[in-house]
Amino acid sequence: MSEVLVLVDHAGGTVRKTTNEMLTIARKLGEPSAVFIGKLSDEATAALKKFGAAKIYAVDGGHVNPYIVAPKAEVLADLVKKTSPAAVLIASSAEGKEIAARLAVKTESGLITDAVDVAEGGVTTQSVFAGNYTVQAKVTKGTPIIAVKPNSATPEESEGAGAVEEITPEISDVAKGARIVGVEPKKSSGRPELNDAAIVVAGGRGTGGNFEPVEELADSLGAAVGASRAAVDSGWYPHSFQIGQTGKVVSPQLYIANGISGAIQHRAGMQTSKTIVAVNKDEEAPIFELVDFGVVGDLHSVLPKATEEINKRK
Ligand code: FAD
């Protein structure tokens, strides 16, 4: 069975859920081999095995980590040459898409970004035009390189052999042209990252600037918090939490929109969510055209009640 390379998406060594999703998808195409760039810990090895990695290529972080995307694309291009994989899966994040594009050029291969599913045989469902359409596509040249959107699959456990092969990469001087000179960690809210959260609770202008009920509901559900542009432009929430055409595109299992009207530019960032719930005091609000469940009411009274009920049932 051919290998399928999966570039491990991790945060400081901790394997992200996106990786488990990609390993699950990879098993439909062949035998998953994880490519871990950075210091591979026992915990990360165990996590990758748990979701089916038959092999783990541990690429010594010493050479690759201080640099940005170009060396990672070189590492993958060497592995593609060495293993002739059935496909390469990479997270469809800003960084992942850049690595994927560079890899496609280096290996003269076709690339599909924003994949939401890959079927046996490599037919890929791709989300396009900000989630307004899905298309079926298949790479017909070189090695299929597929950038997979977070939350596209339900991760399924399947113990893999997880044989670790250490690789010391040789990085060209060109790829070392841009170097990371400083890293400043963001203050952690303790909430999951917006991009890969399974549940997102978002607030808009209807919050009137008080995000407390939104945050409390999010915390009761272990969810990430998001915001509409109106809320961000009003200075109520940081831009990094904006969802929409000019913000982040999320696709969680559950999206709860609170005091958000449902403008087309906001929809572009959340309409591929699996289940959509809205709380809005205007029953004519366009967001209700999109929802699975809607509550017509004032978020300042609805949300605390929902939070209380959820906390009671924990
Ligand atoms: P509003 O449209 O003002 O809606 C507020 C809603 O809250 C209303 O439906 C109201 O009934 C409800 N409400 C009020 N009070 C309460 C209450 N107490 N309880 C419950 N409901 C209440 N927008 C984005 O979100 N993301 C983007 O990335 C984005 N990109 C854009 C790019 C461009 C080029 C342009 C032109 C616009 C963009 N916008 C974006 C802006 C977008 O068009 C809307 O203006 C914006 O989404 C509106 O935000 P909102 O729904 O929070 O506010």
Side-chain angles (χ1 to χ4, degrees), residues 28-53:
K28 292 197 255 179
L29 306 173
E31 200 166 52
S33 294
V35 181
F36 189 98
I37 297 179
K39 280 268 164 280
L40 179 67
S41 63
D42 290 347
E43 290 78 40
T45 305
L48 296 169
K49 280 170 75 169
K50 193 167 156 189
F51 286 91

Side-chain angles (χ1 to χ4, degrees), residues 159-292:
E159 196 70 13
V164 176
E165 187 177 319
E166 284 178 13
I167 293 179
T168 307
E170 281 180 27
I171 305 299
S172 71
D173 287 342
V174 173
K176 290 182 191 167
R179 190 181 227 285
I180 294 168
V181 291
V183 175
E184 218 166 292
K186 274 193 291 186
K187 273 193 212 126
S188 170
S189 63
R191 298 191 183 102
E193 274 190 50
L194 197 45
N195 277 332
D196 49 27
I199 306 177
V200 173
V201 180
R205 204 193 310 267
T207 61
N210 176 10
F211 261 67
E212 213 174 6
V214 173
E215 290 183 333
E216 283 173 354
L217 177 61
D219 292 341
S220 74
L221 292 164
V225 172
S228 73
R229 179 158 157 183
V232 169
D233 284 352
S234 304
W236 300 338
Y237 231 69
H239 178 256
S240 55
F241 294 87
Q242 183 180 313
I243 292 166
Q245 188 183 313
T246 43
K248 294 205 164 112
V249 177
V250 297
S251 193
Q253 297 295 323
L254 174 62
Y255 187 88
I256 309 179
N258 303 287
I260 293 177
S261 60
I264 185 88
Q265 295 90 351
H266 186 80
R267 291 178 184 212
M270 46 65 75
Q271 63 191 350
T272 54
S273 305
K274 303 282 177 304
T275 301
I276 299 174
V277 176
V279 179
N280 196 303
K281 66 180 189 186
D282 174 10
E283 64 178 54
E284 303 288 328
I287 191 83
F288 286 129
E289 292 160 12
L290 201 68
V291 299
D292 299 285

